[in-house]
């Protein structure tokens, strides 16, 4: 949170908890196809917000806290010297 530049343009209050609540449910209570469809829908809700310029901020419990956030270097921290990027490789 120290790296988020204030003010946050799209702060979500209260946080959006759709994905979080779904993941907390007991999967045995719902059919596999129902659960997968609900999961896809919740992920698409969050993924749509990634098109907004900036970062999508979620908690470690998968609650949406903000989107369109700008991230900077936290006060008192070193500059980033190196960035690594990787992509998944799938074989057919």
């Amino acid at each position: 949170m120290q790296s988020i530049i204030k003010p946050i343009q799209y702060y979500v209050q209260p946080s959006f908890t759709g994905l979080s609540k779904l993941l907390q449910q007991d999967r045995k209570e719902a059919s596999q196809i129902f659960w997968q469809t609900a999961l896809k829908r919740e992920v698409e809700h969050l993924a749509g917000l990634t098109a907004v310029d900036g970062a999508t901020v979620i908690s470690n419990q998968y609650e949406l806290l903000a989107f369109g956030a700008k991230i900077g270097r936290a006060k008192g921290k070193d500059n980033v010297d190196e960035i690594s990027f990787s992509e998944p490789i799938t074989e057919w």
Side-chain angles (χ1 to χ4, degrees):
M1 290 303 290
Q2 296 172 353
S3 298
I4 303 296
I5 298 172
K6 311 284 190 298
I8 299 173
Q9 193 168 11
Y10 302 106
Y11 184 68
V12 181
Q13 185 62 27
S15 61
F16 178 72
T17 60
L19 182 58
S20 177
K21 287 180 180 178
L22 180 64
L23 294 174
Q24 292 172 12
Q25 289 179 1
D26 186 3
R27 286 188 192 174
K28 294 176 185 174
E29 292 179 8
S31 71
Q32 184 71 12
I33 191 73
F34 173 81
W35 195 86
Q36 287 177 342
T37 303
L39 179 62
K40 181 179 178 188
R41 183 183 63 242
E42 294 301 335
V43 169
E44 286 175 350
H45 287 156
L46 293 179
L49 298 174
T50 63
V52 177
D53 187 28
T56 303
V57 181
I58 62 172
S59 72
N60 58 349
Q61 287 85 33
Y62 306 104
E63 298 170 332
L64 175 67
L65 304 176
F67 61 97
K70 303 298 181 193
I71 301 174
R73 182 171 47 92
K75 189 182 269 188
K77 301 294 181 180
D78 294 333
N79 287 328
V80 174
D81 293 327
E82 185 178 325
I83 295 177
S84 213
F85 180 79
S86 65
E87 292 186 37
I89 299 172
T90 57
E91 295 182 28
W92 298 97

